[in-house]
Amino acid sequence: MNFVGRNMQQTTTAQPVVWEGDFFQRHRFADFLTEYLRTQSHAPGKSELRPFSLALDAGWGRGKTFFVERWAKDLSTRAPRHPVLLFNAWAADIAADPLVAFMAAFKAKLDEEVQALDLVAATGESVKKMVKGMRRAYLPAGKVLLRGLFEKWSGAGADEFFEALKTGDTDIDQARLEELGEESFKTVGKGLDEFFQKALAEQTDLAKVVAELRSSIEMTLSTLAQQGGVALPMFVFVDELDRCRPPFAIAMLEGIKHLFGVKGVCYVVSTNLAQLAEATRAVYGPGFNGAGYLKRFFDVQCELPAPSPLKFAESLFAASSVMAAAQGRLAHGMPDGGLKDTDWGETAPAAFCWVAEEFGLDFRSQQQMFAVAEASVSALGTQDIHLLWLVILCAIRHANPPFFERLARREMDIEAAWSDLLIVTRPYRRTAYDASSPQGAEAGVTLREVAAQFYANAFKLSKAAARAPTTDFDYPKRWLQHLKKAGPRGDSELRQYFSAVRCAGFISID
């Protein structure tokens, strides 16, 4: 443990460009993982490299993609520089087979490294062997893909086609292909059956073929390290796997484990392990032990540290052009000095944090709620926005749309909504100002009480609120001063928020 900590201090440097926008301050955690994986990629007590894999676990909306993208860029630009492949599994999910896209990306990355370091001559033979090894190792499992290729060749003789793919020799005369293409689809089907019978007969050679494939990749990496000066291991990041179709995701993991467990390559798979475990059950059955199955693929599992609630809220507001445009019109609604029991302060993200905590929303739900609040701000036009009230309504609709509609129709009140939603309101300390204590005195406040006062002034602007003196700075009354009427019945502008949130609530994000 001391060894890792010592190296963290040595290598942790400011990365103002690579880590720009790192609201969650995770660059130090990336430095820690880099040193850990460098160490773990070596066999215990030996200098030789070994294959290693890490599952980076985090729920939806926790910033996995941002983290691995910045980490990958950091590794590829810092000294010593590591070869890095960042593979977006979800973007490749349109392919019939995951390994085809992965093989292409893997080879393209090594080609890029070889050409950048002008090592084509030194690595040419090992790269050529690697390409042939990929074809041969994949052959017994590639029936779906090969069917399409074989049908394109329309009736090529099984022996000729099999040997071409097995050896990597695809320089077949074009005239011969055209001649073969005249044969019928029936002949194609028969040829496929013969072809795969031969492929299965070659299964006994698969272990040797896979070993040769791994050896060729290791030779290429070794040359890059010795003659090109790059550092090993090579880092391969596989992102967005939990968004893929279950069969695709499982095939990807199995293929990488069996074909690409290469010395000098470290895999980092960023995913939601709980969701991925469910995907295995979709493939192997509802009673399948998905969590246990996934442990076969990873040497270690690591949870991405959760951001603080305030940092998460700040990241949502910082990324929103709508909120930025409305910044001068956002009345955050927090008490002066904020809530004393928190470090949130008195800002728009602080108001969002208060509501999210009260309703017990996870980060995914917070993103969904923020999208509704963002759309509502757009719908409300150029008027001032009472953000705390708006977010409260967004949270109620997110939790239970029928309750939201009952509130809008005045069929229930805030107290009933909190009770029926099983929300246990938390009291906070704040500073209260009135005539008897102009310097402020400590008082308690709950979000339910604040919501009730906003709600009471939404439908019928009370005379007391309408003539509240500007010197009354008690909370939340000062936020209710100067509310405008918005309708013939004397409703205040706060009632318009129901309509805006109702329409915005039909917007959803994945």
Side-chain angles (χ1 to χ4, degrees), residues 48 65 118 156 173 176 178 189 193 267 287 315 341 367 375 469 507:
E48 67 180 41
T65 295
D118 196 22
D173 184 71
R176 171 60 176 150
E178 294 176 358
D193 291 339
Y267 289 93
S315 72
D341 309 86
Q367 283 190 314
I507 294 176

Side-chain angles (χ1 to χ4, degrees), residues 18 61 97 133 149-150 181 186-187 235 263 291 293 360 374 402 417 453 468:
V18 173
D97 192 286
L149 181 58
F150 194 82
K186 181 177 180 181
T187 304
F235 284 85
K263 296 177 181 178
Y293 176 74
E374 194 177 41
Q453 292 201 43

Side-chain angles (χ1 to χ4, degrees), residues 38 75 78-82 229-231:
R38 280 176 178 166
L75 287 167
R78 66 161 57 190
R81 185 180 69 83
H82 288 261
V230 300

Side-chain angles (χ1 to χ4, degrees), residues 162-369:
F162 179 78
E163 289 302 322
L165 284 177
K166 177 183 174 185
T167 62
D169 179 12
T170 54
D171 297 327
I172 299 178
D173 184 71
Q174 183 63 31
R176 171 60 176 150
L177 289 179
E178 294 176 358
E179 178 184 346
L180 293 171
E182 297 176 358
E183 299 186 26
S184 67
F185 182 83
K186 181 177 180 181
T187 304
V188 171
K190 181 180 179 182
L192 276 173
D193 291 339
E194 294 177 4
F195 171 75
F196 285 109
Q197 286 177 7
K198 292 181 68 66
L200 291 174
E202 292 288 329
Q203 184 72 31
T204 55
D205 292 337
L206 182 59
K208 179 180 178 181
V209 170
V210 170
E212 292 175 353
L213 167 63
R214 292 173 176 172
S215 177
S216 63
I217 296 175
E218 290 166 8
M219 289 173 57
T220 303
L221 291 175
S222 178
T223 304
L224 287 173
Q226 294 175 10
Q227 300 187 32
V230 300
L232 296 180
M234 173 182 181
F235 284 85
V236 177
F237 295 90
V238 180
D239 191 27
E240 303 276 27
L241 194 63
D242 48 342
R243 299 184 69 181
C244 298
R245 291 171 291 122
F248 186 95
I250 301 308
M252 170 70 74
L253 282 178
E254 292 177 342
I256 289 176
K257 182 70 172 180
H258 297 313
L259 299 185
F260 290 89
V262 176
K263 296 177 181 178
V265 178
C266 178
Y267 289 93
V268 177
V269 179
S270 61
T271 187
N272 183 335
L273 287 176
Q275 188 170 333
L276 196 58
E278 289 297 325
T280 65
R281 297 187 184 97
V283 175
Y284 295 112
F288 189 72
N289 182 5
Y293 176 74
L294 291 178
K295 289 182 179 180
R296 297 170 43 196
F297 296 104
F298 306 113
D299 294 297
V300 294
Q301 298 178 4
C302 173
E303 183 177 357
L304 188 63
S308 72
L310 181 61
K311 289 293 184 183
F312 188 78
E314 288 175 344
S315 72
L316 294 177
F317 279 86
S320 172
S321 59
V322 173
M323 294 300 187
Q327 186 173 4
R329 299 183 288 109
L330 290 180
H332 55 72
M334 296 293 288
D336 288 338
L339 301 174
K340 293 184 175 296
D341 309 86
T342 74
D343 60 353
W344 299 339
E346 44 179 323
T347 62
F352 188 87
C353 281
W354 193 6
V355 177
E357 182 182 88
E358 182 89 351
F359 282 75
L361 301 180
D362 59 22
F363 289 131
R364 178 175 185 177
S365 297
Q366 289 182 43
Q367 283 190 314
Q368 293 169 337
M369 185 179 72

